[in-house]
Amino acid sequence: MIKEITAKKLNTTKFIAEKVQEIKATVGKGIAINALSGGVDSSTVTMLGHMALGKQLRTVFIQNGLMREGEPEKVAGFFQKLGIEIEIIDAQKEFLTALKGITDPEKKREAITQTFYKKVFGHIVKQSGAKFLLQGTILTDVDETLAGIKRQHNVFAQLGIDPQKAFGYQIIEPLIQLRKDGVRITGKALGLPEELFARIPFPGPALAARIIGEVTAERLAVVRKATTVVERMLCNKKAFQYMAILHEDRVTGMRNGKRDFGQQIEVRCWDSIDARTATPTKLPFELLERLAASILKEVPGVVSVTYNIATKPPSTIEAV
Ligand code: XMP
């Protein structure tokens, strides 16, 4: 039974000091490794780990090609300013190859998970000589796994490592007593910039969760550009989450006096407390018009922009 530390009860100075001690004591003179995604959990665990281990911790950022514009460089840049080196691993080819021809949402997610753990990160862990894996698991992840909402995470099995055979592997999960609000406070106390500790949620499968149909380099480029526009224009609306979705169906449009069988972008902007239920944000129509105009101008090939007005449930926040 994991003992929860609520955000209200959390004493960050004490918590950080304790976790740093625990990590040091566990790793000793060994080597630890962790994967940074740029989300608040993995960013906070990266800070804690480096505080405890310094150069004994190797942090990798896996560029899967499914990220937002400039994301790996941006996240690595934040950490560099804090004196932490992040290794960016270019695995775009591996992910695109794994996703080729897949249109089923669950299969798409599975291909991404398998590629991440078995092909890319599993390989790096085995080659690194690290016997300690630092993970940003939080209490909500444990609850959701127990409730059957998330797939059972046996991380070593996912990495293709048999702990029985490869004796000595150990997982360190310093945030496991916290929930998201507690992690944000800890991240802030550790000196993470607001852009990292106060980020809106972003799904593990990244932009692939926002492409209906096959994920290709070309389709990623379209949704990535549209995402940049949507995030730029909706970032100060205090919404829970906002995104651009690329549809599979094409529609006829007109461009330069010619018929153009073009692409459709759907914009979603959600009000929500915990992502379990959500309602569309009542954005002013005039803002929606400006948003559409910017997407049509800045994203080549798009001829239609829609705004989602359905609630979750029965909708979900992401489209895939
Ligand atoms: P849905 O689409 O299920 O999303 O309504 C609920 C919340 O979870 C995020 N989400 C994910 N987060 N891995 C994640 O870490 C995933 O596979 C994933 N899928 C959805 C989503 O962005 C929303 O905040």
Side-chain angles (χ1 to χ4, degrees):
M1 188 64 187
I2 301 159
K3 194 165 176 289
E4 176 170 0
I5 304 173
T6 59
K8 224 172 149 189
K9 289 229 177 94
L10 177 66
N11 172 340
T12 48
T13 312
K14 187 164 159 261
F15 178 81
I16 292 167
E18 274 175 18
K19 292 299 156 190
V20 164
Q21 268 322 308
E22 276 173 34
I23 298 169
K24 269 189 183 160
T26 310
V27 176
K29 290 199 177 353
I31 299 168
I33 191 164
N34 80 311
L36 169 68
S37 72
V40 61
D41 304 339
S42 74
S43 295
T44 303
V45 112
T46 299
M47 284 299 288
L48 261 182
H50 278 273
M51 211 173 196
L53 302 170
K55 294 249 178 280
Q56 281 170 273
L57 174 64
R58 186 173 162 200
T59 300
V60 297
F61 185 107
I62 292 165
Q63 161 59 301
N64 57 14
L66 313 173
M67 314 250 168
R68 289 177 275 200
E69 218 156 66
E71 179 79 0
E73 296 73 24
K74 192 159 130 189
V75 174
F78 281 137
F79 279 93
Q80 198 161 39
K81 272 197 209 121
L82 298 164
I84 296 170
E85 263 332 297
I86 307 292
E87 255 177 87
I88 299 176
I89 311 281
D90 185 357
Q92 300 184 65
K93 256 198 212 125
E94 283 88 341
F95 282 88
L96 273 182
T97 307
L99 285 163
K100 202 170 162 54
I102 303 179
T103 53
D104 178 78
E106 278 311 301
K107 288 195 181 131
K108 230 188 256 182
R109 282 168 175 268
E110 188 59 25
I112 294 168
T113 308
Q114 291 292 331
T115 307
F116 179 86
Y117 284 108
K118 293 255 162 70
K119 264 233 157 95
V120 183
F121 192 48
H123 192 67
I124 295 169
V125 172
K126 280 184 245 170
Q127 286 210 321
S128 69
K131 293 287 188 228
F132 301 91
L133 192 67
L134 209 59
Q135 280 251 126
T137 318
I138 66 171
L139 198 51
T140 317
D141 299 328
V142 178
D143 289 347
E144 291 183 349
T145 302
L146 292 175
I149 299 167
K150 278 203 177 137
R151 260 174 273 164
Q152 178 67 42
H153 287 306
N154 179 342
V155 179
F156 285 130
Q158 300 219 49
L159 288 169
I161 293 168
D162 178 353
Q164 220 83 66
K165 276 193 206 148
F167 180 72
Y169 276 102
Q170 202 174 328
I171 292 193
I172 307 173
E173 296 173 309
L175 307 180
I176 205 150
Q177 290 168 279
L178 305 180
R179 302 216 180 252
K180 199 62 107 188
D181 47 359
V183 179
R184 287 194 205 280
I185 300 169
T186 306
K188 186 177 180 188
L190 282 163
L192 283 182
E194 184 164 359
E195 233 195 296
L196 286 183
F197 73 74
R199 283 190 133 182
I200 59 168
F202 193 71
L207 298 177
R210 298 170 182 178
I211 293 179
I212 300 172
E214 191 183 2
V215 178
T216 63
E218 296 72 31
R219 303 194 76 214
L220 275 163
V222 174
V223 84
R224 185 176 290 123
K225 264 230 150 69
T227 301
T228 303
V229 178
V230 169
E231 291 191 347
R232 184 181 76 220
M233 294 185 74
L234 299 184
C235 66
N236 57 4
K237 296 292 145 205
K238 297 192 162 52
F240 177 80
Q241 215 172 337
Y242 32 92
M243 63 197 66
I245 288 156
L246 175 62
H247 280 248
E248 201 170 17
D249 287 348
R250 288 184 172 247
V251 288
T252 297
M254 290 289 287
R255 218 185 267 281
N256 306 325
K258 272 207 203 112
R259 288 167 77 83
D260 178 11
F261 200 45
Q263 315 212 56
Q264 301 192 66
I265 287 289
E266 175 191 337
V267 176
R268 295 185 178 189
C269 182
W270 297 105
D271 290 337
S272 176
I273 302 290
D274 57 10
R276 279 187 275 202
T277 61
T279 52
T281 307
K282 292 194 174 93
L283 296 173
F285 201 82
E286 166 280 320
L287 170 62
L288 290 172
E289 284 176 329
R290 276 192 285 126
L291 190 54
S294 297
I295 292 172
L296 292 172
K297 184 161 163 244
E298 293 178 44
V299 192
V302 175
V303 298
S304 163
V305 178
T306 57
Y307 185 58
N308 169 66
I309 50 170
T311 56
K312 171 182 178 174
S315 176
T316 52
I317 287 180
E318 305 290 343
V320 167

